[in-house]
Amino acid sequence: MKYSATVLRRIGGFITVAGLASLLAGCDVGETFDGFGWPQGGISQQSEKMYDLWIASVVAALAVGFFVWGLIFWCVVRYRKRGTDLPVQTRFNLPIEVLYTVLPFLVVSVLFYYTAVIQTNVNQVSANPNVTVEVVAFKWNWQFNYRSGPGEAAKTEASVTGTSSLIPLLVVPTGRTILFEEHSKDVIHSFWVPELLFKRDVFPGSTRNEFQVTIEEEGRYVGRCAELCGTYHSMMNFELVSVSPEKFEQYLAALKSGKTQPEAMEAIGFTGDKAYAVTTEPFETKRDSKAANS
């Protein structure tokens, strides 16, 4: 049975269009396909931009894949062996060679452009953020200093320090630009809140890493150290608490007045166990006499 080139082209085109249509079905392609491996549930504007870039890149890659697979199957059917005669031998085809040289370059250029734009946006830091938090990492806990502004010359207005029996809470407002300035007192640590879809290393010495986010959802999210920093690295947790700007101001005022972290949380309505971390809990350090003797 013989197929005309027109019929085969139509079949190939139909398969390609049908595949892309099923791929793009629904309001959110990423949600339909579980993010194509990218974690969902980002809570900041920056995480949404990175998520959109990933989804667009995967869809573009699949579109190219469907096109190539369509050409392969079309060649398999159209140019299959039909007898003993040797097919026409084409030494070169200049238009096709130019096409498969230029087209990949264009695809890569477009992906590179949008990657550079998103990366620049994610790493952008404003000169006057609404909130500046100095993140100080040490073995094996965190200190969060609420500063009067960016830069080392700014003053610390309030501070929260974690202990082996108290998980530190990093309370921040939603809808505001938050600048994190990071440095370590000893070794390299890494500041990571999974829902931010972003982490950055915390270095000792004069290096001060910084990044900025705008969180859009209220909630409580576990934070971790993502750099192997020693014996109790796995116990170096904290909790990010995003609240309304009004509650954040009340919380900050409570800290400034001398109240403890739990007391400041109670001042904004988090009473009882909710005044402490709910996403993680202090770990036993196993430093009792039995462990030492054994």
Side-chain angles (χ1 to χ4, degrees):
M1 183 177 181
K2 296 183 178 180
Y3 300 92
S4 67
T6 302
V7 172
L8 291 173
R9 281 196 295 269
R10 289 178 179 176
I11 293 175
F14 174 77
I15 293 174
T16 302
V17 172
L20 290 175
S22 62
L23 176 67
L24 299 174
C27 299
D28 188 339
V29 180
E31 184 178 351
T32 303
F33 292 90
D34 196 25
F36 293 111
W38 184 273
Q40 299 187 72
I43 59 174
S44 69
Q45 295 178 0
Q46 290 77 6
S47 64
E48 292 178 359
K49 293 179 184 297
M50 292 186 289
Y51 175 81
D52 291 341
L53 175 64
W54 171 259
I55 297 300
S57 299
V58 173
V59 170
L62 288 174
V64 173
F66 275 114
F67 176 71
V68 174
W69 296 329
L71 288 178
I72 291 174
F73 287 120
W74 178 73
C75 290
V76 168
V77 176
R78 176 66 179 83
Y79 298 106
R80 72 191 188 283
K81 185 177 180 180
R82 293 182 174 84
T84 57
D85 295 336
L86 188 67
V88 177
Q89 302 298 297
T90 302
R91 297 181 59 185
F92 64 88
N93 188 315
L94 187 59
I96 293 297
E97 291 181 3
V98 171
L99 177 64
Y100 66 61
T101 300
V102 174
L103 191 58
F105 177 79
L106 293 177
V107 172
V108 172
S109 298
V110 172
L111 290 176
F112 178 83
Y113 169 76
Y114 283 106
T115 300
V117 170
I118 298 300
Q119 179 176 288
T120 301
N121 180 273
V122 168
N123 288 322
Q124 186 176 8
V125 175
S126 61
N128 297 300
N130 299 123
V131 178
T132 301
V133 180
E134 181 184 43
V135 177
V136 182
F138 57 93
K139 293 181 179 180
W140 283 275
N141 223 306
W142 303 88
Q143 181 181 59
F144 303 121
N145 299 323
Y146 295 91
R147 309 274 282 176
S148 58
E152 295 186 47
K155 296 181 179 180
T156 297
E157 299 180 333
S159 182
V160 171
T161 304
T163 66
S164 58
S165 59
L166 180 67
I167 298 292
L169 302 181
L170 174 55
V171 180
V172 293
T174 58
R176 300 290 188 269
T177 55
I178 307 164
L179 175 66
F180 295 105
E181 298 180 331
E182 307 172 335
H183 73 94
S184 169
K185 289 186 176 181
D186 35 55
V187 298
I188 299 176
H189 300 277
S190 186
F191 179 88
W192 180 42
V193 178
E195 281 77 10
L196 290 179
L197 301 184
F198 187 90
K199 64 183 178 71
R200 179 147 293 178
D201 284 349
V202 186
F203 295 104
S206 59
T207 302
R208 293 175 69 90
N209 257 346
E210 60 182 20
F211 71 97
Q212 180 176 296
V213 296
T214 301
I215 297 176
E216 298 183 320
E217 299 180 16
E218 293 188 24
R220 308 183 72 158
Y221 313 95
V222 65
R224 308 183 187 278
C225 174
E227 184 77 24
L228 182 58
C229 57
T231 305
Y232 296 102
H233 155 72
S234 63
M235 305 176 185
M236 192 172 167
N237 293 346
F238 64 94
E239 181 172 281
L240 176 73
V241 184
S242 54
V243 297
S244 66
E246 294 76 20
K247 284 188 175 182
F248 172 74
E249 293 298 333
Q250 295 172 11
Y251 174 82
L252 197 59
L255 287 180
K256 291 179 181 179
S257 67
K259 291 185 177 181
T260 62
Q261 173 187 292
E263 291 172 342
M265 289 292 288
E266 290 178 351
I268 58 174
F270 293 92
T271 59
D273 292 341
K274 294 182 180 179
Y276 301 86
V278 298
T279 60
T280 183
E281 59 185 18
F283 291 82
E284 294 182 6
T285 60
K286 299 179 181 179
R287 289 178 173 175
D288 55 37
S289 57
K290 285 186 177 180
N293 293 331
S294 62

